[in-house]
Amino acid sequence: MLANTVAQNQSRQTLEHYDEIWLFGYGSLIYKVDFPYLEKCPAYILGWQRRFWQGSHDHRGTPENPGRVATLIAQAGSRCDGMAYRVTAEEFIHLDHREKNGYLRHEVPVFLINESGQQVKKLGIIYIADEENSAYLGEDSEEAIAAHIANCRGPSGENSEYLIMLDEALAELGVVDPHISQIRWHLSNLI
Ligand code: BEZ
């Protein structure tokens, strides 16, 4: 699969069957909210884990020196926490371009956690970059991922900034993700 997924996303998934569209963010969508939304709510999805296994040619790296950014890996029994946004269908024109480097939209159940702690299940949308896309980098140790991140930058800035901003946004949500905190710990010894 080509890394540029804009046309695929816009042709394969219509959003007409939704009365409310909830976009679940697990990476930069948690801290870089450059799109209008109707409401937002802390949320989680089941059966997925956040991993820095996707290459970034266009934001936190270059085609010659791709950075490492977050994607989701299917893993039974896992839970991935993030932020859900209720958006209109038009926002996907911008989002498909922003996340064009290998990410495809998928539909999954999203569990919204409201202010009183109750959970509400909705059909939601996530972006996933799987191993079929040509920018995929795959698994490595947290130590090796930190060393990789320390040496990458792209048009959106330092790769390390992406990791640190995500770690801080998760902390604000009260979420501990051991994969992210271990990468950050190794990174702190390098930069
Ligand atoms: C997210 O934060 O959900 C996200 C991260 C990278 C690409 C697409 C979405």
Side-chain angles (χ1 to χ4, degrees), residues 24-30 70 99 103 127 162:
F24 177 78
Y26 57 89
S28 59
L29 290 180
I30 302 181
E99 309 302 356
Y103 291 88
Y127 283 91
Y162 176 112

PDB file of all heavy atoms in Angstrom, residues 24-30 70 99 103 127 162, ligand 1:
ATOM      1  N   PHE A  24     -11.836   9.064  17.586  1.00  0.00           N
ATOM      2  CA  PHE A  24     -11.012   8.735  18.751  1.00  0.00           C
ATOM      3  C   PHE A  24      -9.551   9.046  18.445  1.00  0.00           C
ATOM      4  O   PHE A  24      -8.989   8.530  17.464  1.00  0.00           O
ATOM      5  CB  PHE A  24     -11.167   7.252  19.115  1.00  0.00           C
ATOM      6  CG  PHE A  24     -10.282   6.829  20.254  1.00  0.00           C
ATOM      7  CD1 PHE A  24     -10.616   7.134  21.564  1.00  0.00           C
ATOM      8  CD2 PHE A  24      -9.093   6.145  20.019  1.00  0.00           C
ATOM      9  CE1 PHE A  24      -9.787   6.763  22.624  1.00  0.00           C
ATOM     10  CE2 PHE A  24      -8.261   5.766  21.060  1.00  0.00           C
ATOM     11  CZ  PHE A  24      -8.612   6.076  22.368  1.00  0.00           C
ATOM     12  N   GLY A  25      -8.922   9.885  19.270  1.00  0.00           N
ATOM     13  CA  GLY A  25      -7.508  10.237  19.105  1.00  0.00           C
ATOM     14  C   GLY A  25      -6.668   9.550  20.160  1.00  0.00           C
ATOM     15  O   GLY A  25      -7.025   9.558  21.351  1.00  0.00           O
ATOM     16  N   TYR A  26      -5.556   8.970  19.730  1.00  0.00           N
ATOM     17  CA  TYR A  26      -4.665   8.263  20.672  1.00  0.00           C
ATOM     18  C   TYR A  26      -3.230   8.789  20.590  1.00  0.00           C
ATOM     19  O   TYR A  26      -2.371   8.374  21.356  1.00  0.00           O
ATOM     20  CB  TYR A  26      -4.663   6.749  20.376  1.00  0.00           C
ATOM     21  CG  TYR A  26      -4.248   6.446  18.952  1.00  0.00           C
ATOM     22  CD1 TYR A  26      -2.904   6.263  18.624  1.00  0.00           C
ATOM     23  CD2 TYR A  26      -5.187   6.407  17.927  1.00  0.00           C
ATOM     24  CE1 TYR A  26      -2.514   6.019  17.325  1.00  0.00           C
ATOM     25  CE2 TYR A  26      -4.803   6.171  16.619  1.00  0.00           C
ATOM     26  CZ  TYR A  26      -3.468   5.980  16.323  1.00  0.00           C
ATOM     27  OH  TYR A  26      -3.087   5.756  15.023  1.00  0.00           O
ATOM     28  N   GLY A  27      -2.971   9.668  19.619  1.00  0.00           N
ATOM     29  CA  GLY A  27      -1.606  10.182  19.408  1.00  0.00           C
ATOM     30  C   GLY A  27      -1.663  11.695  19.363  1.00  0.00           C
ATOM     31  O   GLY A  27      -2.167  12.352  20.277  1.00  0.00           O
ATOM     32  N   SER A  28      -1.187  12.249  18.239  1.00  0.00           N
ATOM     33  CA  SER A  28      -1.146  13.712  18.149  1.00  0.00           C
ATOM     34  C   SER A  28      -2.538  14.333  18.216  1.00  0.00           C
ATOM     35  O   SER A  28      -2.675  15.502  18.578  1.00  0.00           O
ATOM     36  CB  SER A  28      -0.442  14.138  16.856  1.00  0.00           C
ATOM     37  OG  SER A  28      -1.128  13.604  15.748  1.00  0.00           O
ATOM     38  N   LEU A  29      -3.563  13.560  17.900  1.00  0.00           N
ATOM     39  CA  LEU A  29      -4.920  14.135  17.978  1.00  0.00           C
ATOM     40  C   LEU A  29      -5.306  14.471  19.419  1.00  0.00           C
ATOM     41  O   LEU A  29      -6.253  15.210  19.647  1.00  0.00           O
ATOM     42  CB  LEU A  29      -5.958  13.185  17.380  1.00  0.00           C
ATOM     43  CG  LEU A  29      -5.918  12.983  15.864  1.00  0.00           C
ATOM     44  CD1 LEU A  29      -7.009  12.016  15.425  1.00  0.00           C
ATOM     45  CD2 LEU A  29      -6.079  14.303  15.121  1.00  0.00           C
ATOM     46  N   ILE A  30      -4.574  13.938  20.394  1.00  0.00           N
ATOM     47  CA  ILE A  30      -4.898  14.293  21.787  1.00  0.00           C
ATOM     48  C   ILE A  30      -4.394  15.708  22.103  1.00  0.00           C
ATOM     49  O   ILE A  30      -5.061  16.482  22.781  1.00  0.00           O
ATOM     50  CB  ILE A  30      -4.267  13.295  22.789  1.00  0.00           C
ATOM     51  CG1 ILE A  30      -4.745  11.871  22.510  1.00  0.00           C
ATOM     52  CG2 ILE A  30      -4.604  13.695  24.227  1.00  0.00           C
ATOM     53  CD1 ILE A  30      -4.171  10.837  23.471  1.00  0.00           C
ATOM     54  N   ALA A  70       2.980   7.401  16.516  1.00  0.00           N
ATOM     55  CA  ALA A  70       2.082   6.392  17.081  1.00  0.00           C
ATOM     56  C   ALA A  70       1.158   5.777  16.035  1.00  0.00           C
ATOM     57  O   ALA A  70       0.684   6.453  15.125  1.00  0.00           O
ATOM     58  CB  ALA A  70       1.243   7.029  18.186  1.00  0.00           C
ATOM     59  N   GLU A  99      -3.283  13.247   8.230  1.00  0.00           N
ATOM     60  CA  GLU A  99      -2.838  11.898   8.605  1.00  0.00           C
ATOM     61  C   GLU A  99      -2.656  11.016   7.376  1.00  0.00           C
ATOM     62  O   GLU A  99      -2.953   9.831   7.399  1.00  0.00           O
ATOM     63  CB  GLU A  99      -3.847  11.282   9.600  1.00  0.00           C
ATOM     64  CG  GLU A  99      -4.178  12.159  10.791  1.00  0.00           C
ATOM     65  CD  GLU A  99      -2.966  12.558  11.648  1.00  0.00           C
ATOM     66  OE1 GLU A  99      -1.854  12.089  11.366  1.00  0.00           O
ATOM     67  OE2 GLU A  99      -3.142  13.355  12.571  1.00  0.00           O
ATOM     68  N   TYR A 103      -2.061   6.220   7.132  1.00  0.00           N
ATOM     69  CA  TYR A 103      -3.174   5.965   8.059  1.00  0.00           C
ATOM     70  C   TYR A 103      -4.491   5.786   7.316  1.00  0.00           C
ATOM     71  O   TYR A 103      -4.869   6.624   6.497  1.00  0.00           O
ATOM     72  CB  TYR A 103      -3.333   7.115   9.048  1.00  0.00           C
ATOM     73  CG  TYR A 103      -2.201   7.205  10.044  1.00  0.00           C
ATOM     74  CD1 TYR A 103      -1.056   7.933   9.736  1.00  0.00           C
ATOM     75  CD2 TYR A 103      -2.278   6.552  11.265  1.00  0.00           C
ATOM     76  CE1 TYR A 103       0.001   8.012  10.638  1.00  0.00           C
ATOM     77  CE2 TYR A 103      -1.217   6.627  12.165  1.00  0.00           C
ATOM     78  CZ  TYR A 103      -0.095   7.352  11.847  1.00  0.00           C
ATOM     79  OH  TYR A 103       0.948   7.422  12.729  1.00  0.00           O
ATOM     80  N   TYR A 127      -7.860   6.299  13.154  1.00  0.00           N
ATOM     81  CA  TYR A 127      -6.888   6.181  12.065  1.00  0.00           C
ATOM     82  C   TYR A 127      -5.831   5.162  12.501  1.00  0.00           C
ATOM     83  O   TYR A 127      -5.261   5.299  13.596  1.00  0.00           O
ATOM     84  CB  TYR A 127      -6.190   7.513  11.802  1.00  0.00           C
ATOM     85  CG  TYR A 127      -7.005   8.529  11.032  1.00  0.00           C
ATOM     86  CD1 TYR A 127      -7.800   9.458  11.698  1.00  0.00           C
ATOM     87  CD2 TYR A 127      -6.957   8.582   9.641  1.00  0.00           C
ATOM     88  CE1 TYR A 127      -8.532  10.415  10.993  1.00  0.00           C
ATOM     89  CE2 TYR A 127      -7.675   9.532   8.931  1.00  0.00           C
ATOM     90  CZ  TYR A 127      -8.458  10.438   9.612  1.00  0.00           C
ATOM     91  OH  TYR A 127      -9.177  11.387   8.917  1.00  0.00           O
ATOM     92  N   TYR A 162       7.095  15.428  19.798  1.00  0.00           N
ATOM     93  CA  TYR A 162       5.852  14.643  19.622  1.00  0.00           C
ATOM     94  C   TYR A 162       5.678  13.676  20.793  1.00  0.00           C
ATOM     95  O   TYR A 162       4.603  13.583  21.394  1.00  0.00           O
ATOM     96  CB  TYR A 162       5.935  13.904  18.289  1.00  0.00           C
ATOM     97  CG  TYR A 162       4.796  12.952  17.937  1.00  0.00           C
ATOM     98  CD1 TYR A 162       3.917  13.246  16.887  1.00  0.00           C
ATOM     99  CD2 TYR A 162       4.608  11.750  18.602  1.00  0.00           C
ATOM    100  CE1 TYR A 162       2.902  12.370  16.539  1.00  0.00           C
ATOM    101  CE2 TYR A 162       3.598  10.872  18.264  1.00  0.00           C
ATOM    102  CZ  TYR A 162       2.740  11.183  17.235  1.00  0.00           C
ATOM    103  OH  TYR A 162       1.730  10.304  16.908  1.00  0.00           O
TER     104      TYR A 162
HETATM  105  C1  BEZ B   1      -4.406   9.960  16.618  1.00  0.00           C
HETATM  106  O1  BEZ B   1      -3.956  10.704  17.478  1.00  0.00           O
HETATM  107  O2  BEZ B   1      -5.473   9.357  16.798  1.00  0.00           O
HETATM  108  C2  BEZ B   1      -3.711   9.802  15.333  1.00  0.00           C
HETATM  109  C3  BEZ B   1      -2.343   9.762  15.320  1.00  0.00           C
HETATM  110  C4  BEZ B   1      -1.689   9.624  14.115  1.00  0.00           C
HETATM  111  C5  BEZ B   1      -2.416   9.546  12.953  1.00  0.00           C
HETATM  112  C6  BEZ B   1      -3.780   9.576  12.991  1.00  0.00           C
HETATM  113  C7  BEZ B   1      -4.436   9.717  14.184  1.00  0.00           C
END
